[in-house]
Amino acid sequence: NAGVTQTPKFQVLKTGQSMTLQCAQDMNHNSMYWYRQDPGMGLRLIYYSASEGTTDKGEVPNGYNVSRLNKREFSLRLESAAPSQTSVYFCASSYGQGEGGYTFGSGTRLTVV
Amino acid sequence: SQQGEEDPQALSIQEGENATMNCSYKTSINNLQWYRQNSGRGLVHLILIRSNEREKHSGRLRVTLDTSKKSSSLLITASRAADTASYFCATDSRDDKIIFGKGTRLHILP
C-alpha cells in the first residue's frame, strides 16, 4: 500500500545507547519530516528535508541527526539516547511548497530507561 | 513554539450532535490544515484551506478560515462514534514546514 513506512514500531533503549529510526515513502513526495509527540505537547518538529540532499532543523533538533538518503528515505538517529527522548516519533512526507497535506507513518514508540 | 492552538482542549458530545473545534494562530500563513489522530495511530489529513479561501467542505466536515482574526474552525456534523479522536490544526508558513497545535480531544457519547 502507498504511504509512509516507519520502523521499528517499538523500541526500548538504555541511556547512552544509539539507534536509527527508518522512514520510507513511496508517493514521490519531495519533503519529509520527523516529529515527536509527547503528552500535552502536541507534535513538535525535530528535522525536515524540503528536498533530496537538504535537511534543516526544526523546533527541537538537539540530540538528533538526520539523513536524507534519497528521495524515498529519511532516517533519524539518536547518537546517545537520554530519558528525555522517550516519546512517540512520527515521520511524514508531502509534496512541499504548501501543496496538499502531510501523510504520516504509524509512529515509533521509544522508551529510554 | 506552538503556532496553532486549538480550543477546547477536550469536548464530549452525544452521537448525532455537531462538534465544533476552533484554532487560533499567530503569524501569517499560506494555508491551514486539520488532522485527525485516533488513539495510538498516526495523523490523518482531513482538509486544507488556503489563506485566500474562507470556507471549505468535505463530506461531514466544514472548515472556515478568518485571516483577519487569525482563526479557523472545524465543524463535524451528525457526529458518529468513529469520530472519537484528537483533532489538530496545523499552519503552513513560508519556510515549507507546518506547525501543529496541541489538539482537541473529541469524545462521542453513545
Side-chain angles (χ1 to χ4, degrees):
Chain A
N1 292 335
V4 177
T5 303
Q6 283 183 242
T7 56
K9 293 190 183 302
F10 300 94
Q11 184 72 48
V12 178
L13 290 178
K14 293 182 179 179
T15 298
Q17 286 186 318
S18 62
M19 77 162 295
T20 300
L21 281 66
Q22 306 287 352
C23 175
Q25 52 91 9
D26 58 5
M27 295 168 289
N28 202 34
H29 282 167
N30 298 310
S31 301
M32 298 185 74
Y33 312 83
W34 277 104
Y35 287 88
R36 61 178 287 175
Q37 185 176 32
D38 302 291
M41 297 293 292
L43 280 87
R44 292 182 291 171
L45 182 64
I46 304 171
Y47 270 95
Y48 69 106
S49 171
S51 61
E52 185 179 352
T54 68
T55 61
D56 287 285
K57 295 178 180 179
E59 299 173 74
V60 288
N62 291 342
Y64 305 95
N65 285 302
V66 290
S67 295
R68 183 74 182 269
L69 304 170
N70 47 56
K71 192 170 186 178
R72 291 187 64 247
E73 298 173 288
F74 189 39
S75 62
L76 178 71
R77 183 161 178 83
L78 286 70
E79 290 290 352
S80 178
S84 61
Q85 294 178 305
T86 292
S87 188
V88 181
Y89 291 85
F90 289 99
C91 177
S93 68
S94 75
Y95 285 112
Q97 300 298 317
E99 292 298 321
Y102 285 21
T103 301
F104 279 81
S106 57
T108 296
R109 187 173 296 275
L110 175 67
T111 301
V112 183
V113 298
Chain B
S1 60
Q2 302 296 134
Q3 162 74 308
E5 191 156 331
E6 294 88 346
D7 171 61
Q9 292 185 355
L11 178 62
S12 293
I13 61 171
Q14 295 293 138
E15 191 168 11
E17 293 181 339
N18 296 340
T20 299
M21 289 158 273
N22 302 297
C23 172
S24 58
Y25 58 92
K26 298 175 183 174
T27 62
S28 62
I29 59 172
N30 291 328
N31 64 58
L32 186 143
Q33 304 174 39
W34 285 91
Y35 289 80
R36 182 187 73 234
Q37 184 180 34
N38 292 93
S39 181
R41 308 293 293 273
L43 278 75
V44 174
H45 180 252
L46 295 176
I47 199 165
L48 181 153
I49 186 165
R50 300 192 185 283
S51 58
N52 61 353
E53 297 175 308
R54 292 296 167 259
E55 187 170 314
K56 205 161 183 179
H57 297 255
S58 177
R60 293 183 296 113
L61 305 180
R62 172 178 168 250
V63 168
T64 61
L65 179 64
D66 187 335
T67 53
S68 66
K69 295 181 180 178
K70 292 187 170 59
S71 67
S72 174
S73 66
L74 170 67
L75 169 68
I76 303 174
T77 60
S79 62
R80 305 169 182 170
D83 294 329
T84 293
S86 291
Y87 292 81
F88 296 87
C89 70
T91 50
D92 184 351
S93 57
R94 299 187 195 289
D95 53 3
D96 197 35
K97 60 180 186 284
I98 65 174
I99 305 295
F100 287 85
K102 296 182 181 180
T104 292
R105 296 187 309 279
L106 175 64
H107 185 53
I108 308 300
L109 303 168

